[in-house]
């Protein structure tokens, strides 16, 4: 997809609703039900883990648990190319095709892979969940008996659907999150929007965007509605691309980005390129990881590790974070630069929570530095970091506080419009969240001083 005219940063390009969607909460409820059944079976059998040594909160214990989880992840990836989530989306799409066959002919058939030859060049898809996999096979076999398409074409079209639909789902679905950059996001009880997270399949108008490691387009959601917005000025004729991976990973080398992309596409490594051209997704099949050999390394400080660290007492948490910061940067093959970025954020949150704003501010500013130097010029996560830095600085350095608040407002307005009114509306719960030991009245006065 290419720009037909010069466009300013913050230009809305596409606003789309999903064809099908699966919310996280749907899978979580099912997993909770399965866990309850397993716990009941274990209690009946009197099973006890003799290796449970209690609350070992050392860095080594965190790292070992993480490596074990990654090993299990790698093993499961070798055994299946399709997730349970994608399987659910395939079944929902088949149901919609049954109701309206033109969904396939007018919409889905135009999406990548766009023909059977291309589909055959990609690794075959099969579901990691056996029961869903069997249901997909049954519905696919039933498809040709329904005579949904003209009789002369019915068999061929159904064969096309069987071959391509699972791959269309795999290569075109997008994560859906509302205000995921906010620090209150995970905590629904405090106004976070984690309940509005899922995976959706959007139409061809979205699938025409290529991936770039230097994206000029960003996306955000309100519920299941997805917006695609330019994050910098774009010249006529320039290709419009967004990143298929989180912006914090864009600074990593091509091998790590390709592993995180997990789409059987190779990324060219243009780290040393002088012309600054976008680093594109190359639509060529590559062999599954078990056949390529070698170990795939993933970030250490992921969502699970962050949750575990934040669950430890604050002083103990500071020691753990410092130890992890000291360990990072040793092995350029395994280590992710974004791990340090995440640790600085966790350090800032912890220090702020202890009332140590003077020590917390440099941590916020190191995270902002990382974001400004590696994220796109306009980025919603950078806005969230600037807002927190402004609130942190207000006690000891009002000049810095006003500067960070001004930068946050300017960037937010370029991305979302609406001036300070929209920022305060979107950040209402974030700004009211008691991340610091400060009276609520003082927080409200601070917000008025910074953004009012």
């Amino acid at each position: 997809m290419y720009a037909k005219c010069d466009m300013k940063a913050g230009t809305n390009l596409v606003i789309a609703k999903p064809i099908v969607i699966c919310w996280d909460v749907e899978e979580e409820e099912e997993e909770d039900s399965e866990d309850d059944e397993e716990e009941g079976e274990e209690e009946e059998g009197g099973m006890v883990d003799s290796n449970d040594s209690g609350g070992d909160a050392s860095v080594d214990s965190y790292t070992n648990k993480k490596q074990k989880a990654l090993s299990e992840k790698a093993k499961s990836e070798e055994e299946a190319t399709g997730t349970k989530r994608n399987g659910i989306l395939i079944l929902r799409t088949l149901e919609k095709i049954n109701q309206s066959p033109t969904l396939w002919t007018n919409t889905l058939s135009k999406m990548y892979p766009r023909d059977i030859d291309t589909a055959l060049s990609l690794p075959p898809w099969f579901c990691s969940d056996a029961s869903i996999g069997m249901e997909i096979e049954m519905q696919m076999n039933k498809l040709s008996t329904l005579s949904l398409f003209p009789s002369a074409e019915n068999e061929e079209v159904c064969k096309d659907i069987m071959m391509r639909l699972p791959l269309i789902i795999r290569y075109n679905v997008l994560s859906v999150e509302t205000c995921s950059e906010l620090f209150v996001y995970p905590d629904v009880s405090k106004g976070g929007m984690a309940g509005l997270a899922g995976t959706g399949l959007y139409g061809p108008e979205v699938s025409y965007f290529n991936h770039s490691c230097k994206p000029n387009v960003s996306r955000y959601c309100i519920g299941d509605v997805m917006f695609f917005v330019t994050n910098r000025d774009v010249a006529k004729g320039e290709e419009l691309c967004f990143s298929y991976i989180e912006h914090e990973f864009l600074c990593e080398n091509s091998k790590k980005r390709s592993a995180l992309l997990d789409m059987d596409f190779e990324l060219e490594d243009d780290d040393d390129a002088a012309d600054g051209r976008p680093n594109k997704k190359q639509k060529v099949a590559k062999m599954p990881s078990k056949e390529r050999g070698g170990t795939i390394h993933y970030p250490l400080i992921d969502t699970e590790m962050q949750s575990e660290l934040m669950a430890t007492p604050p002083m103990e948490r500071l020691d753990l974070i410092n130890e992890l910061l000291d360990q990072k940067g040793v092995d350029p093959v395994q280590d992710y630069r974004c791990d340090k970025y995440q640790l600085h954020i966790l350090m800032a949150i912890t220090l702020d929570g202890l009332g140590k704003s003077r020590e917390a501010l440099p941590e916020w500013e190191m995270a902002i530095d990382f974001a400004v130097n590696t994220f796109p010029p306009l980025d919603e996560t950078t806005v969230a970091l600037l807002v927190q830095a402004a609130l942190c600085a207000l006690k000891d350095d009002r000049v810095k506080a006003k500067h960070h608040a001004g930068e946050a407002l300017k960037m937010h307005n370029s991305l979302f419009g609406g001036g300070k009114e929209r920022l305060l509306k979107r950040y209402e719960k974030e700004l009211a969240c008691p991340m610091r030991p400060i009276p609520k009245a003082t927080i409200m006065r601070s917000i008025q001083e910074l953004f009012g």
Side-chain angles (χ1 to χ4, degrees):
M1 187 182 293
Y2 293 84
K4 294 183 177 179
C5 61
D6 292 344
M7 288 183 283
K8 292 289 186 183
T11 301
N12 267 308
L13 301 172
V14 176
I15 301 173
K17 287 272 287 181
I19 298 167
V20 288
I21 194 165
C22 179
W23 297 104
D24 288 356
V25 68
E26 294 178 78
E27 275 199 303
E28 286 166 7
E29 287 171 355
E30 188 175 333
E31 286 169 6
D32 287 343
S33 176
E34 290 172 359
D35 289 343
D36 289 343
E37 289 176 12
E38 287 175 9
E39 284 174 15
E41 289 171 5
E42 287 181 8
E43 284 172 9
E44 287 175 15
M47 293 174 66
V48 178
D49 185 358
S50 60
N51 293 319
D52 186 2
S53 58
D56 179 6
S58 68
V59 169
D60 285 343
S61 72
Y62 279 113
T63 306
N64 290 338
K65 285 168 71 177
K66 175 66 175 174
Q67 293 305 327
K68 183 180 178 183
L70 292 180
S71 175
E72 290 171 357
K73 172 183 168 71
K75 184 179 178 182
S76 66
E77 285 175 349
E78 288 181 357
E79 293 169 352
T81 57
T83 64
K84 178 181 178 180
R85 175 74 58 92
N86 284 1
I88 292 169
L89 291 172
I90 291 168
L91 288 172
R92 290 180 181 178
T93 307
L94 285 170
E95 186 179 345
K96 288 211 165 190
I97 292 172
N98 288 342
Q99 295 168 357
S100 177
T102 56
L103 174 63
W104 174 260
T105 52
N106 295 344
T107 303
L108 294 169
S109 65
K110 295 176 170 59
M111 298 171 73
Y112 179 86
R114 295 183 177 87
D115 54 63
I116 286 183
D117 287 341
T118 304
L120 289 171
S121 72
L122 297 167
W125 189 96
F126 58 97
C127 191
S128 59
D129 186 283
S131 61
I132 289 178
M134 289 172 65
E135 179 67 18
I136 290 170
E137 186 176 357
M138 186 176 74
Q139 293 301 326
M140 287 289 194
N141 291 332
K142 182 182 174 184
L143 199 63
S144 59
T145 67
L146 300 176
S147 301
L148 298 174
F149 307 96
S151 55
E153 304 169 9
N154 189 65
E155 186 177 345
E156 195 65 30
V157 174
C158 290
K159 179 184 174 184
D160 202 26
I161 294 172
M162 291 174 71
M163 290 291 298
R164 291 175 55 207
L165 180 60
L167 296 170
I168 287 170
I169 297 289
R170 184 183 181 202
Y171 293 111
N172 293 280
V173 293
L174 294 169
S175 61
V176 177
E177 299 100 3
T178 299
C179 293
S180 56
E181 80 279 11
L182 299 184
F183 287 88
V184 295
Y185 172 77
D187 194 338
V188 177
S189 66
K190 293 182 179 177
M193 301 285 189
L196 291 175
T199 304
L201 176 68
Y202 292 77
E205 71 278 12
V206 169
S207 71
Y208 290 142
F209 285 108
N210 267 328
H211 165 84
S212 173
C213 293
K214 296 179 181 176
N216 51 21
V217 175
S218 294
R219 62 187 181 92
Y220 67 92
C221 298
I222 301 174
D224 64 355
V225 181
M226 192 170 289
F227 299 77
F228 292 81
V229 183
T230 55
N231 58 44
R232 61 170 174 79
D233 292 347
V234 176
K236 180 181 178 180
E238 192 175 343
E239 185 170 9
L240 297 163
C241 302
F242 70 92
S243 173
Y244 292 2
I245 56 177
E246 287 87 347
H247 290 168
E248 67 202 59
F249 301 130
L250 294 177
C251 63
E252 309 297 346
N253 65 40
S254 61
K255 288 182 180 178
K256 290 174 182 172
R257 295 196 308 266
S258 293
L260 292 164
L261 189 58
D262 189 29
M263 278 193 173
D264 305 305
F265 296 147
E266 293 283 8
L267 291 174
E268 294 179 342
D269 201 341
D270 64 349
D271 293 342
D272 300 321
D275 58 9
R277 289 176 298 168
N279 183 315
K280 303 271 182 61
K281 171 188 69 179
Q282 302 300 309
K283 292 185 178 178
V284 294
K286 62 180 185 178
M287 299 302 290
S289 58
K290 65 178 181 180
E291 295 181 26
R292 290 198 310 271
T295 303
I296 296 175
H297 298 285
Y298 293 93
L300 175 65
I301 314 301
D302 61 5
T303 305
E304 184 180 349
M305 178 69 92
Q306 291 172 45
S307 298
E308 288 189 25
L309 284 168
M310 292 306 291
T312 61
M315 298 309 296
E316 191 176 335
R317 188 190 315 150
L318 289 176
D319 290 339
L320 286 167
I321 293 171
N322 277 317
E323 286 184 55
L324 286 164
L325 281 169
D326 289 342
Q327 285 187 3
K328 300 314 292 170
V330 175
D331 187 344
V333 176
Q334 296 189 40
D335 291 344
Y336 277 73
R337 290 173 60 192
C338 62
D339 278 343
K340 272 194 172 182
Y341 157 75
Q342 294 290 357
L343 288 168
H344 285 303
I345 292 175
L346 295 178
M347 179 78 84
I349 293 170
T350 305
L351 290 168
D352 251 343
L354 293 169
K356 299 182 178 183
S357 57
R358 194 184 296 272
E359 295 172 50
L361 183 58
E363 301 295 330
W364 287 119
E365 290 178 334
M366 278 189 270
I368 291 167
D369 258 359
F370 179 90
V372 168
N373 289 313
T374 60
F375 293 1
L378 299 179
D379 187 89
E380 57 186 347
T381 301
T382 310
V383 176
L385 292 169
L386 286 164
V387 167
Q388 291 302 327
L391 293 171
C392 177
L394 197 55
K395 179 182 174 184
D396 302 303
D397 193 332
R398 290 178 179 271
V399 173
K400 274 191 175 182
K402 293 291 278 186
H403 169 75
H404 290 317
E407 290 297 306
L409 182 56
K410 183 169 66 175
M411 191 176 293
H412 187 276
N413 192 47
S414 296
L415 271 175
F416 302 105
K420 64 184 180 183
E421 289 81 9
R422 184 164 294 170
L423 181 142
L424 291 172
K425 180 66 176 174
R426 289 188 75 244
Y427 277 68
E428 181 181 6
K429 301 295 184 182
E430 178 93 332
L431 294 169
C433 181
M435 287 178 63
R436 300 165 178 87
I438 302 171
K440 188 171 182 180
T442 305
I443 293 173
M444 299 313 295
R445 284 198 302 272
S446 300
I447 293 166
Q448 286 301 314
E449 182 176 341
L450 290 170
F451 303 103

